[in-house]
Amino acid sequence: MLTVALIFPELLGTYGDGGNARVLVERARQRGIDANLVVVGVGEEVPSATLFVLGGGEDGPQGLAADQLRVSSFASRVEDGSFVVAVCAGLQILGTTFCVEGRDDYPGLNLVDAVTRRAKKRAVGELAVRVKGRALVGFENHGGTTTLGAGVTPLGEVLRGRGNDGKVDGFVAERVWATYAHGPVLALNPWWADEILGAVLGVSLEPLVTVADDLYEERRGALKV
Amino acid sequence: MTWRYKVARGAVIFVNRLARRIGRGSGTVIGGRVGLAISGNLLTDLTRDRTVVLVSGTNGKTTTTAMITAGWGGNVATNATGSNMVQGHVAALADSLGNRAVLEVDESWLPETIVATRPSVVTLLNLSRDQLDRASEVRHLAELWREAVKNSPEVTFVANANDPLVVYATRDGARVVWCDVPTPWRLDAASCPRCAQSLRFSQTSWECECGFAKPSTVDTFTDGGLTVRGHPLSLDLALPGEFNVANAAVALTALSVLGADVPSALARLNGLTSVAGRYAIRKWGPRDLRLILAKNPAGFSAALPLIGAGELWIAINARVADGRDPSWLYDVPFEQLTGRKVICLGERRLDLATRLFYAGVDATVVDELDSLAVPGAPVTVVANYTAFEQWRQRTVEC
């Protein structure tokens, strides 16, 4: 049984980020795995879940989401074994501090040693990252530059776009994946969705051929990666 | 008027006619650019002796602009081509006589357009996510508007009282006429624009614990029939959709503020059957197509209930004018289409087909348009901005 909890889509869902939760649930179901999607609204208790999905959001909502998660059971549930996939503002929230309008050291959840500062220029455009030899494709739109602590592993090397700092993107930690590729990055990269799903479920998954594979190949071609 | 103004205005007209003659587009932007290069004040000069209405908002700009123009009647300058930045404004005005103008304005251009044109009325329809790669964040637009409203005490703002972001932008205006119109899209105002806490929505209202709330008195409303500033009107639009009721209510309110004859304006609005190629039945080879423009999640949500029987084709592009990032497809409630078969078209048809797959909707990707040009059932084509333009050009009005 897989329970995917989408966290505060009304705050962290600017770019269709809810798609990631839907993709994971649907790819599990297509293989006959019992999976359900739980939407966690602002002010609601963070429930027990196999996997939490965090999306991107604007400054005010991002700060509020961090405040609400800080006083919730989110961190303790992650320590107890829940997994996390986070994109964009969600990535920043998992880190040490991030920037919002008027404040440059807004406290994150400190689950990962990652400090986000204000970049000189907004990064808006296609993002491609080499993850274990494969190209992850997506789109980024953020104003941050994120520095990882010494022991933190980035998700991969940036092939196109900025990601954290123009060199690497995101991070991976135990049971945590994060990238600046916002929105439905798991829809664009079915292989990465399956890699996450496989790790979460602790099984090796049957291949699942869908139109998403054609989309991935088309985007790789368009991004020349 | 100065010689510079005369030369600049003449250049706009000349260059645009030339552009149209040699087939370089609809001829609005390039002439505008040339004219503005000659006189930077051209927009101000062109509106100096005119009564100006500006229309802005994420969705409904083109239709509301057409409604105000039609409702006002007579000779009204307007940017009917949808070219809604300064070049398009200059082009529309240079080529038109008469002392009235209705201009559709891109949301991010609104503040400087207000300064340049000194409008009598500005209508603010709604704000929601759209082309975020260009506009970055919706709340940023609300802040821009808020400054513009504060700095324009002489302007009457006809504003949607049901859209929290519009209310946030407008509530401190000196002259505001509130319209309580259908605004089903709420995802961008789930958290309070003032304090970021959750807004509480009821059937007819919304509020935040910080005190920010829907205006308690409104001037125009559609609940229980359209009433514009105290006058009940029998609205019977030929154009479909609840969102067009909202557009009409705002248009008629603007016309009432301008002192226009509202009953005759209403009759002209009711008679509109098509705006910029939308809604009317068009011919494409042997097929009958109805084109619907939907370019963002709010627009798509409003368009999905309008889809009739017959075939459904959806066309998605992601060019600069569309926003280069089609992530927003995941914010559209395509699950509503479960049980229907969708033909996926446009340059980003694979993005659409993937989205529909995850929505559990039967989707077919068609690479060769010719295969569709065979006799068959009537078709509804829902397309985003540049995809819509391609379909408009491919088809002819019946």
Side-chain angles (χ1 to χ4, degrees):
Chain A
M1 174 75 181
L2 172 76
T3 302
V4 177
L6 177 63
I7 298 292
F8 308 155
E10 62 272 65
L11 299 177
L12 301 174
T14 306
Y15 301 101
D17 308 280
N20 289 328
R22 202 182 299 269
V23 166
L24 290 168
V25 167
E26 198 53 40
R27 293 187 77 82
R29 283 182 186 161
Q30 294 271 337
R31 288 157 166 125
I33 297 162
D34 196 7
N36 75 57
L37 173 62
V38 179
V39 176
V40 185
V42 184
E44 286 174 26
E45 194 76 15
V46 172
S48 145
T50 327
L51 172 72
F52 294 110
V53 175
L54 297 170
E58 302 177 57
D59 279 10
Q62 180 185 1
L64 178 62
D67 295 346
Q68 298 243 336
L69 286 174
R70 203 175 305 112
V71 297
S72 76
S73 58
F74 179 80
S76 67
R77 291 191 189 281
V78 174
E79 272 159 38
D80 291 348
S82 295
F83 292 78
V84 187
V85 175
V87 303
C88 202
L91 170 156
Q92 298 179 353
I93 286 174
L94 296 181
T96 323
T97 58
F98 57 88
C99 305
V100 296
E101 191 73 44
R103 192 160 167 201
D104 286 354
D105 59 347
Y106 208 89
L109 300 178
N110 210 10
L111 287 176
V112 174
D113 182 2
V115 175
T116 300
R117 296 188 180 82
R118 209 175 292 279
K120 283 198 188 79
K121 219 172 142 243
R122 233 183 137 75
V124 183
E126 313 277 1
L127 174 64
V129 185
R130 191 191 308 283
V131 180
K132 293 191 200 159
R134 295 187 78 157
L136 180 90
V137 294
F139 202 95
E140 63 182 334
N141 187 346
H142 63 99
T145 171
T146 298
T147 308
L148 303 179
V152 182
T153 313
L155 174 66
E157 166 206 352
V158 169
L159 301 171
R160 190 166 162 179
R162 183 160 84 206
N164 293 358
D165 56 3
K167 299 188 194 79
V168 297
D169 175 58
F171 48 74
V172 281
E174 190 160 10
R175 297 190 300 278
V176 178
W177 297 265
T179 174
Y180 267 111
H182 71 206
V185 59
L186 297 183
L188 291 169
N189 301 275
W191 60 272
W192 198 47
D194 283 353
E195 196 172 296
I196 290 171
L197 212 48
V200 168
L201 295 167
V203 296
S204 76
L205 295 164
E206 297 285 311
L208 177 67
V209 178
T210 73
V211 66
D213 303 312
D214 301 336
L215 172 63
Y216 173 65
E217 290 305 327
E218 189 245 2
R219 293 323 296 156
R220 265 186 64 199
L223 270 65
K224 301 187 178 70
V225 291
Chain B
M1 289 290 167
T2 62
W3 66 269
R4 188 183 281 276
Y5 164 71
K6 287 178 188 157
V7 171
R9 180 173 185 170
V12 174
I13 298 170
F14 174 75
V15 173
N16 278 342
R17 285 193 186 151
L18 188 68
R20 281 193 289 266
R21 180 163 302 176
I22 62 173
R24 294 290 300 272
S26 54
T28 51
V29 173
I30 183 166
R33 270 196 202 136
V34 173
L36 288 161
I38 297 168
S39 168
N41 283 329
L42 189 55
L43 183 57
T44 299
D45 289 340
L46 281 166
T47 49
R48 180 156 287 134
D49 298 318
R50 281 170 157 143
T51 304
V52 176
V53 180
L54 304 182
V55 177
S56 199
T58 306
N59 288 321
K61 289 187 287 287
T62 302
T63 302
T64 306
T65 300
M67 285 174 164
I68 298 174
T69 304
W72 220 352
N75 195 354
V76 180
T78 186
N79 52 337
T81 59
S83 180
N84 61 15
M85 300 184 214
V86 62
Q87 300 88 350
H89 298 151
V90 164
L93 294 161
D95 221 355
S96 167
L97 300 170
N99 57 5
R100 299 173 301 164
V102 184
L103 299 175
E104 155 183 353
V105 187
D106 178 88
E107 301 87 276
S108 53
W109 279 84
L110 185 64
E112 55 197 289
T113 311
I114 291 175
V115 171
T117 63
R118 303 164 315 279
S120 304
V121 174
V122 175
T123 73
L124 303 177
L125 299 167
N126 49 62
L127 277 177
S128 70
R129 57 191 70 184
D130 183 32
Q131 294 185 48
L132 294 176
D133 60 321
R134 188 166 67 84
S136 76
E137 298 179 345
V138 187
R139 275 152 207 265
H140 175 67
L141 283 177
E143 291 293 346
L144 272 182
W145 280 17
R146 189 173 164 78
E147 275 306 300
V149 170
K150 254 194 256 172
N151 297 334
S152 314
E154 69 294 344
V155 176
T156 300
F157 289 90
V158 173
N160 181 353
N162 224 349
D163 186 318
L165 290 168
V166 170
V167 173
Y168 174 75
T170 322
R171 58 200 292 273
D172 296 329
R175 300 182 194 186
V176 183
V177 178
W178 293 112
C179 300
D180 186 358
V181 294
T183 311
W185 181 259
R186 284 172 177 170
L187 212 57
D188 291 295
S191 88
C192 175
R194 195 163 79 175
C195 76
Q197 294 292 329
S198 299
L199 279 186
R200 288 191 298 272
F201 288 89
S202 68
Q203 200 69 1
T204 55
S205 192
W206 47 266
E207 59 175 0
C208 177
E209 59 193 32
C210 76
F212 179 69
K214 180 174 169 176
S216 51
T217 54
V218 295
D219 303 277
T220 288
F221 51 90
T222 58
D223 202 25
L226 174 62
T227 299
V228 171
R229 303 175 81 207
H231 300 283
L233 296 172
S234 81
L235 189 67
D236 183 20
L237 291 176
L239 296 178
E242 198 184 38
F243 56 93
N244 278 327
V245 172
N247 294 336
V250 170
L252 289 164
T253 305
L255 289 164
S256 159
V257 170
L258 290 162
D261 178 32
V262 174
S264 55
L266 173 71
R268 287 192 286 265
L269 252 69
N270 283 337
L272 276 180
T273 54
S274 169
V275 174
R278 304 171 198 177
Y279 312 117
I281 305 289
R282 298 172 72 86
K283 278 268 175 217
W284 181 58
R287 314 273 329 225
D288 284 352
L289 271 54
R290 191 164 63 119
L291 304 188
I292 297 177
L293 173 75
K295 53 192 170 73
N296 50 45
F300 251 100
S301 299
L304 290 179
L306 301 184
I307 297 163
E311 290 186 20
L312 172 58
W313 304 354
I314 302 180
I316 300 295
N317 285 353
R319 300 184 181 188
V320 171
D322 302 303
R324 291 171 297 140
D325 174 20
S327 293
W328 58 270
L329 290 170
Y330 288 80
D331 289 327
V332 177
F334 282 117
E335 287 74 10
Q336 289 175 22
L337 297 177
T338 309
R340 286 200 71 135
K341 196 175 150 60
V342 179
I343 301 287
C344 301
L345 304 171
E347 290 152 10
R348 299 304 286 268
R349 54 191 177 274
L350 287 172
D351 294 78
L352 173 66
T354 300
R355 167 67 185 107
L356 292 173
F357 166 74
Y358 286 119
V361 176
D362 183 0
T364 305
V365 177
V366 172
D367 296 327
E368 296 297 331
L369 278 186
D370 288 351
S371 67
L372 297 172
V374 292
V379 182
T380 302
V381 181
V382 186
N384 71 338
Y385 192 69
T386 64
F388 179 90
E389 267 313 295
Q390 291 168 339
W391 275 103
R392 195 180 60 78
Q393 285 168 20
R394 252 174 228 141
T395 53
V396 290
E397 208 156 331
C398 284

